[in-house]
Amino acid sequence: MDGVKKVTKSGPRALLAVGLIGLFWSGCTRSPDQPAPAPAKNIPPAAQLDDAPILSEEDSALVTAATVPASESEKAWRAVQKAIQPPPYPAEWQTNQPSKEQVAQFEKQNSLLAAQAADKLREFYTKYPSNENVVEARRREYDLLKVAVDLGNSNAVSRIEALDQQRLKDPSLSEDERIGLRVAQIQRILSSADENTITNALGKVETAMHALQAEFPERSDLAAMTASLADIWFRHGNFEKSRALAEEVIKSKAEDDAKESASMLVKQLSHADKPIELKFSALDGREVDLKKLRGKVVLIDFWATWCQPCMRELPNVKAVYQKFHDKGFEIVGLSYDEEKQALQQVVSTESIPWPQGFDESNGGKKFVEDFGVTSLPTMWLVDKNGVLRDLQGVNDLEKKVEKLLAAN
């Protein structure tokens, strides 16, 4: 799911404050095109040859060092540099798309290799503590352990945690560096959780997050973490916790982006278990009024054609519609598209039969803003009495529709 809310902050402090958002939000984003690289200027003719060899900085250093007599520690450092190079992607992947299983196996192997490379770096700086490359070795050890953890190597977690604790004891550490380390620790709590442990992990995250905010009470930008945590509690169905955290952000000295996100979430939660009123003229001219659909189960689908997760979910939504439409299931689409033509084209190409709400006058924002929707796709399920019963219809949609249809 993609955050519809605007993110306008920039700079290192903002990046630290929203370090958790990548874990809490997933899916499509609409960002400006990346600028094309500037053309090279004043390049000597020899450097323009297509087959000119290109050396990495590390390889260049090795070539240069090879012409100078080396000490034992320098030779050891060269050997370590060679040993910790990551393996390339399999050559066949250039022509054949790898399966999910192949990618998973490759990442698992790399997680082990990254930890082994970190071992070699630790052995180096332990054996040669006065070598000029010790600082670099320690830095790269830490980076490799992060890679190992990110790729699922749980055995590396304790090692990187120990390094973090050691670094946090350094009195010369800046405030941003200290916060960055603490945020990284919180990130690891979440990244190591699965569906069976996520509730416990979120509790630990909340405790660690509040401790961090208490330690740095003047850092209003840290409230973005609270807003993000409110969203993830929401997506896991704990609306009570979600609302409490969102209201905490609203009452705090948080920055505008965090307060806006929290306010939207509270607005969305305010619709739960209440009758929903929705009336509009659809893209194809049909008049839609939820009151006239009483007696039917209705899916309200907030989506956009530019949202890749929305488009990936579309075949499943169409299948559920085809299976249950004759039994009293209806869908109402509410588009966040800005371009009417793009929406019309997708509706036509995909043969989408249900009506689409489109806000041509306000850049597609009306419906998501009216209902407090902060991410796409968002799917609400309304029961036969017109009451909003599920804010997370995107999960297990078929089972939920079937259950609501069976209810009186």
Side-chain angles (χ1 to χ4, degrees):
M1 294 192 288
D2 160 52
V4 171
K5 65 188 179 79
K6 295 181 290 183
V7 180
T8 57
K9 293 188 295 182
S10 61
R13 288 170 67 91
L15 291 174
L16 286 171
V18 298
L20 289 178
I21 291 179
L23 288 171
F24 294 157
W25 299 78
S26 60
C28 58
T29 57
R30 179 165 51 176
S31 58
D33 295 335
Q34 295 295 320
K41 297 179 179 179
N42 301 322
I43 300 178
Q48 299 177 10
L49 296 176
D50 292 338
D51 58 351
I54 301 176
L55 296 179
S56 68
E57 291 183 9
E58 293 172 357
D59 289 339
S60 296
L62 291 173
V63 171
T64 301
T67 62
V68 180
S71 65
E72 180 182 346
S73 63
E74 289 171 338
K75 291 178 181 178
W77 177 241
R78 294 179 197 173
V80 168
Q81 286 182 299
K82 288 183 179 180
I84 65 175
Q85 295 301 309
Y89 287 111
E92 60 269 20
W93 287 12
Q94 296 183 9
T95 54
N96 299 316
Q97 182 74 20
S99 65
K100 290 183 178 179
E101 292 75 17
Q102 287 175 315
V103 172
Q105 181 60 35
F106 184 77
E107 290 184 345
K108 181 179 180 180
Q109 179 187 7
N110 277 354
S111 73
L112 298 175
L113 292 175
Q116 291 171 7
D119 288 339
K120 294 182 182 298
L121 288 161
R122 181 175 58 177
E123 292 170 1
F124 170 80
Y125 67 70
T126 300
K127 186 174 182 180
Y128 304 104
S130 61
N131 185 273
E132 62 181 8
N133 295 300
V134 163
V135 173
E136 175 68 7
R138 289 181 181 274
R139 183 190 66 79
R140 295 179 70 181
E141 176 198 23
Y142 187 84
D143 290 343
L144 284 165
L145 288 174
K146 285 176 61 178
V147 170
V149 171
D150 289 344
L151 293 178
N153 188 338
S154 58
N155 293 328
V157 173
S158 59
R159 286 181 57 187
I160 200 168
E161 289 288 351
L163 290 174
D164 276 348
Q165 293 303 323
Q166 183 178 349
R167 294 176 68 193
L168 285 168
K169 294 177 182 178
D170 182 357
S172 66
L173 211 61
S174 71
E175 182 177 283
D176 278 355
E177 289 172 325
R178 194 171 300 278
I179 291 175
L181 287 174
R182 298 280 291 280
V183 169
Q185 290 176 330
I186 295 173
Q187 286 177 317
R188 284 194 291 273
I189 295 173
L190 278 179
S191 63
S192 62
D194 56 30
E195 287 302 316
N196 296 321
T197 61
I198 186 64
T199 299
N200 183 50
L202 288 175
K204 292 180 179 179
V205 165
E206 187 171 341
T207 299
M209 180 191 70
H210 281 141
L212 177 60
Q213 292 168 339
E215 184 177 344
F216 300 96
E218 300 304 316
R219 290 292 291 257
S220 60
D221 52 340
L222 292 178
M225 296 170 63
T226 309
S228 295
L229 185 57
D231 179 74
I232 198 172
W233 272 124
F234 169 79
R235 290 194 284 116
H236 281 82
N238 194 324
F239 297 157
E240 183 178 353
K241 281 226 177 244
S242 178
R243 182 189 291 272
L245 288 171
E247 290 177 345
E248 178 183 317
V249 175
I250 294 171
K251 295 175 183 177
S252 72
K253 297 179 180 178
E255 297 181 358
D256 291 343
D257 284 346
K259 285 193 173 185
E260 180 183 355
S261 174
S263 297
M264 291 282 280
L265 185 54
V266 169
K267 181 186 289 189
Q268 186 171 177
L269 287 166
S270 70
H271 293 288
D273 297 321
K274 295 178 182 178
I276 288 291
E277 292 189 6
L278 179 63
K279 186 176 181 179
F280 62 88
S281 296
L283 187 69
D284 58 5
R286 279 182 281 180
E287 295 298 324
V288 176
D289 187 349
L290 240 56
K291 288 183 178 179
K292 295 182 180 180
L293 294 177
R294 298 286 170 86
K296 296 178 180 290
V297 172
V298 181
L299 171 68
I300 303 177
D301 183 13
F302 299 87
W303 75 300
T305 60
W306 49 260
C307 168
Q308 292 184 5
C310 299
M311 297 304 296
R312 286 197 297 267
E313 196 65 31
L314 183 57
N316 179 53
V317 177
K318 290 168 67 176
V320 174
Y321 180 81
Q322 292 169 2
K323 183 174 182 178
F324 294 113
H325 179 59
D326 292 341
K327 299 178 182 180
F329 176 56
E330 298 287 349
I331 299 179
V332 173
L334 297 180
S335 170
Y336 190 58
D337 280 280
E338 295 182 2
E339 300 295 334
K340 184 177 181 179
Q341 184 177 357
L343 177 60
Q344 288 175 322
Q345 182 175 349
V346 171
V347 168
S348 174
T349 302
E350 296 291 339
S351 301
I352 299 175
W354 53 86
Q356 298 292 331
F358 175 69
D359 175 29
E360 191 168 7
S361 64
N362 194 28
K365 297 178 181 179
K366 174 178 172 53
F367 297 113
V368 295
E369 290 183 350
D370 284 353
F371 292 109
V373 171
T374 57
S375 62
L376 300 177
T378 285
M379 299 183 189
W380 289 0
L381 283 169
V382 179
D383 69 12
K384 296 176 183 178
N385 297 314
V387 176
L388 177 57
R389 292 301 183 192
D390 197 311
L391 297 168
Q392 296 289 338
V394 70
N395 301 320
D396 298 319
L397 177 61
E398 182 176 341
K399 292 181 181 179
K400 291 177 177 179
V401 170
E402 191 170 18
K403 183 178 180 180
L404 287 172
L405 285 171
N408 294 326

